[in-house]
Structures are given as structure tokens and as C-alpha cells.
Amino acid sequence: MTSEAYELQVLLELRQGEREQAEALFAEAVGELEKVRRRVREAQGRWERVEAQRRQGTQTFDERARQKGMALVELQNIDRYLEGLRQLSDEAQQALTQVQEEEQRAQRQVHAAQRAMQGAISALKAVEGHHEAWRDEQKTLHRRKAEAQMDEVATRLWREQQP
């Protein structure tokens, strides 16, 4: 091989660094998405538990209201209890909606990081392709130079042996 240095070596190293950085950002975005998805599942479970409790409370209230002899104070207490459960259910639903929106943002970030990573990989492949072509060209030049030197030696030896 010749001692010539690849003129685009700095660019090649830069593209390699960009690819590594893009891969790291993609991995970070995927990790964040997983965290958010875990929070979505937790919020979903909390809302389902609160909603089931509210439905059960409503059903219990309806059954007790049908019974005769229920005092007005008891009806008011149960109504306040059910109103509290409705508020808890609404809060849990709002929290779930908020976390779902965070999940959508995290998904968009993952897609953006993936596109950036693909772009960095493509740019690196282009430079690597050029580098490979350059190395092939250097090998060819080296081979031709060696052949020319061998031809020169052979010609000189032939001339020395001629009368």
C-alpha cells in the first residue's frame, strides 16, 4: 500500500461519531418511551380501580335507595361519597389522558431519533463507500507501480544480457 493518507479521514471519523451519537439518542428515546408506557399502564390501572369502585358504590347506593326506611341524612352521605368517587375518577382520567399525551410525544421523539439515526447511517455509508473505492484505487495504483518497477527491472536485465 502507498503511504498516502485518506483525504476524507476526518469526515469519516465525524460521520462515525454522528452515527454513534444518533444511536445513543435513539436508545435514550426508546428508554424514555418505555418509562412513559409504564406510567400509562399504571395510570390506566389506577383509573380502572377508581372507576370500578365508583360503579360499585353507585350500585350499592341504588340498591339501598330502593329499600324503604333509608334516612335523608344517610342518602346525603352516600351521595357525597359517590360525588367524591366521581371526582377521583375524573382526576384519574385526566392523569391518564396527560400520560397518554406524554406517550404520544415520546413516540414522536423516538421516530425523530430513528430518522436522524438512519440519516447518520446513510451519510456514514456514503463516506465508507468512498473510502472503500479510494482504498481499491490505492491498491490498483500500488499494483501498477509494482508491475512497472518489475517491468523496468526485467527490461534492464534483458538489455544487460543482450550482446
Side-chain angles (χ1 to χ4, degrees):
M1 284 292 234
T2 63
S3 62
E4 298 228 4
Y6 181 55
E7 293 177 3
L8 301 178
Q9 185 64 36
V10 173
L11 181 62
L12 178 64
E13 292 169 2
L14 178 68
R15 295 292 186 247
Q16 289 169 337
E18 288 173 352
R19 184 204 60 209
E20 291 169 4
Q21 183 180 15
E23 288 172 344
L25 290 174
F26 177 70
E28 184 179 317
V30 168
E32 183 62 29
L33 178 60
E34 288 304 313
K35 288 178 187 175
V36 171
R37 284 185 174 161
R38 204 172 312 118
R39 290 193 350 240
V40 166
R41 287 189 300 271
E42 291 168 0
Q44 179 74 32
R46 180 173 184 270
W47 177 78
E48 288 172 357
R49 286 188 302 277
V50 170
E51 188 61 21
Q53 187 179 8
R54 185 190 66 77
R55 277 185 261 132
Q56 180 62 38
T58 301
Q59 185 179 10
T60 303
F61 173 74
D62 290 344
E63 290 172 6
R64 292 181 78 187
R66 284 188 215 117
Q67 298 173 354
K68 297 195 180 207
M70 210 172 161
L72 182 59
V73 172
E74 190 177 0
L75 286 172
Q76 289 174 340
N77 286 340
I78 292 173
D79 191 47
R80 279 193 291 264
Y81 172 71
L82 292 177
E83 181 58 33
L85 289 177
R86 273 191 289 277
Q87 288 178 349
L88 285 176
S89 179
D90 289 346
E91 290 171 4
Q93 179 63 42
Q94 289 173 351
L96 175 60
T97 301
Q98 183 179 7
V99 175
Q100 286 172 332
E101 289 171 357
E102 288 178 33
E103 180 183 25
Q104 290 174 351
R105 282 191 294 274
Q107 285 175 337
R108 286 191 296 271
Q109 288 176 341
V110 166
H111 291 302
Q114 186 177 27
R115 284 190 302 274
M117 182 177 67
Q118 288 169 342
I121 289 171
S122 295
L124 176 61
K125 284 183 180 181
V127 175
E128 285 176 337
H130 182 271
H131 185 244
E132 188 65 32
W134 176 83
R135 285 197 330 227
D136 291 345
E137 181 182 346
Q138 293 301 308
K139 286 178 186 177
T140 302
L141 290 174
H142 180 70
R143 189 187 79 243
R144 286 180 183 166
K145 185 176 180 181
E147 288 173 355
Q149 288 174 347
M150 289 172 58
D151 287 346
E152 186 178 313
V153 168
T155 302
R156 193 184 68 220
L157 289 174
W158 181 78
R159 285 185 184 161
E160 288 175 0
Q161 292 188 0
Q162 292 300 317

